[in-house]
Amino acid sequence: MRLQDIAKLAGVSPATVSRVFSHHPNIRKDVREHVFAIAKAHNYHPRLSTKQRNVVIILPGDEIYPIRTCLEMVMMALTFVLPKHGFRIEVLPQDNIERLDSIQFCGAVAIGAEPDDFKKWSDRFSAPLVLVDRDAPANSPNVYSVRSDEAKGMELAIGHLYERGCRKIGCIIHGMAGTGNADIRRTSVAKALKSRKLPSDGLIQLSRDDNYVEIIGKLLRQNVDSLFCPGGNAGIVTAYALSLFNKRVPEDISLIASEHKLYSCYATPPQTTITQDHIGLAEIAANVIDSHLEKSRLPQRSVLQYSLIARDSVKSLDS
């Protein structure tokens, strides 16, 4: 099947088909959708132009992805890595995603977006989409996932606290049930506690920004000896909340949070954290787009490991 064959079946000129596949802005929506439907029906995948090096970074709204710190760290990694691969960057808020129909681009990267929002991506665009920190929707051949192993990350933190003698670990997970990574983190923390025969009832809490301090107070009343607070600005907020309750880290309570490049190592005391490989995530995203331009394919799902940065916020209770 050639481009000329798609044009004949669609009843348009080869030049029009070429403009559709290059996302030219001066193509009517009905024509664009018709050409893509013909191409999909005949399993035709156009060759993307290697001269077109524009990558769109799609940023979520607060209601979808409230954890701004991770968003910022992934964004910093992408703006560092993509230009090294020769890509130009355009940033687009997800609530303005209809603009993609008028932008010429060879690939897109969405940070922390919900997969259901992109179920029809492969029907609309020939360019690849890389979802960072989320799984790709089913039956979407041009949608890729690059994420960190949340289960292993939660295990890493709980294991470190356990090795230091902590036996009643409270956990506050930023986010709400059914959104983002909240559910998999909660399940993974519960599994890590259970495998060590540690209590979990009432000790694993989901939290919004506006009730974080209140939940820390509830956990302290249960006499936890440590806190694990993955996600976003949790390290900053937790340190502040503990100061309100006159609790010192690590003398009174140990703490592990998510890495915050501008805070974690400068906190008092410097915080032990788990961290994603943000540069690694960005490199895979760039490689996926490169592979499409070269008419090859990488695995549709890539998973990177968390690492633990041990600093001074965890006290050894065995000593």
Side-chain angles (χ1 to χ4, degrees):
M1 180 69 68
R2 302 173 304 160
L3 182 144
Q4 290 84 351
D5 299 321
I6 297 296
K8 185 176 181 180
L9 290 169
V12 297
S13 69
T16 296
V17 174
S18 179
R19 292 190 187 99
V20 168
F21 290 146
S22 63
H23 308 291
H24 195 282
N26 296 330
I27 297 292
R28 295 199 320 269
K29 182 178 180 180
D30 61 321
V31 173
R32 187 187 308 277
E33 291 177 348
H34 179 56
V35 170
F36 275 129
I38 295 293
K40 183 179 181 182
H42 291 81
N43 198 30
Y44 177 81
H45 300 285
R47 184 175 182 85
L48 297 173
S49 172
T50 57
K51 297 179 181 179
Q52 186 178 294
R53 306 287 293 181
N54 298 323
V55 172
V56 178
I57 298 178
I58 303 170
L59 301 182
D62 287 343
E63 71 279 7
I64 298 174
Y65 203 59
I67 306 172
R68 308 308 297 178
T69 304
C70 182
L71 172 66
E72 292 161 3
M73 291 169 72
V74 173
M75 185 68 180
M76 287 173 61
L78 288 169
T79 56
F80 175 75
V81 169
L82 289 173
K84 286 192 169 187
H85 285 249
F87 294 118
R88 294 181 294 274
I89 295 172
E90 180 160 351
V91 178
L92 187 68
Q94 189 171 339
D95 56 9
N96 199 19
I97 200 170
E98 65 276 359
R99 279 202 59 223
L100 284 173
D101 289 322
S102 61
I103 296 174
Q104 295 190 38
F105 64 99
C106 65
V109 181
I111 306 173
E114 296 303 324
D116 285 349
D117 294 337
F118 297 96
K119 288 191 296 186
K120 296 184 178 180
W121 178 273
S122 297
D123 296 336
R124 294 179 60 192
F125 305 108
S126 57
L129 168 68
V130 183
L131 297 182
V132 178
D133 204 32
R134 296 291 186 271
D135 287 321
N139 302 315
S140 300
N142 288 346
V143 182
Y144 294 76
S145 166
V146 53
R147 63 173 306 144
S148 300
D149 190 330
E150 293 295 333
K152 292 289 181 61
M154 303 304 103
E155 166 67 26
L156 194 62
I158 298 299
H160 184 73
L161 290 170
Y162 184 80
E163 289 168 4
R164 301 299 290 270
C166 299
R167 294 297 181 265
K168 195 167 187 181
I169 303 169
C171 179
I172 309 173
I173 297 170
H174 195 296
M176 303 308 296
T179 64
N181 292 316
D183 291 337
I184 187 173
R185 287 178 173 176
R186 178 168 57 180
T187 300
S188 300
V189 168
K191 182 178 179 181
L193 293 173
K194 183 178 180 180
S195 69
R196 294 169 174 83
K197 297 182 172 57
L198 298 180
S200 62
D201 289 348
L203 297 180
I204 306 173
Q205 300 284 333
L206 299 182
S207 173
R208 306 180 305 273
D209 286 331
D210 59 1
N211 66 345
Y212 210 92
V213 174
E214 177 186 348
I215 289 177
I216 287 180
K218 290 180 179 179
L219 290 174
L220 291 176
R221 287 193 290 274
Q222 297 185 63
N223 297 315
V224 296
D225 56 26
S226 52
L227 288 172
F228 171 42
C229 306
N233 296 316
I236 300 173
V237 179
T238 303
Y240 167 71
L242 290 174
S243 71
L244 296 179
F245 293 106
N246 295 316
K247 296 293 184 180
R248 298 169 301 164
V249 177
E251 291 85 356
D252 300 322
I253 191 163
S254 292
L255 171 64
I256 294 182
S258 290
E259 179 70 2
H260 187 305
K261 294 291 186 186
L262 300 178
Y263 175 78
S264 300
C265 64
Y266 304 109
T268 305
Q271 292 183 354
T272 294
T273 61
I274 58 169
T275 184
Q276 301 181 63
D277 181 359
H278 298 100
I279 294 294
L281 294 171
E283 284 286 357
I284 292 176
N287 289 337
V288 164
I289 299 170
D290 266 334
S291 72
H292 265 254
L293 292 173
E294 296 166 2
K295 207 65 175 179
S296 60
R297 282 184 175 269
L298 293 179
Q300 200 155 4
R301 187 173 190 265
S302 300
V303 180
L304 299 183
Q305 297 303 315
Y306 272 88
S307 58
L308 185 135
I309 303 174
R311 297 192 180 101
D312 302 330
S313 63
V314 178
K315 177 182 178 181
S316 178
L317 299 180
D318 291 333
S319 58

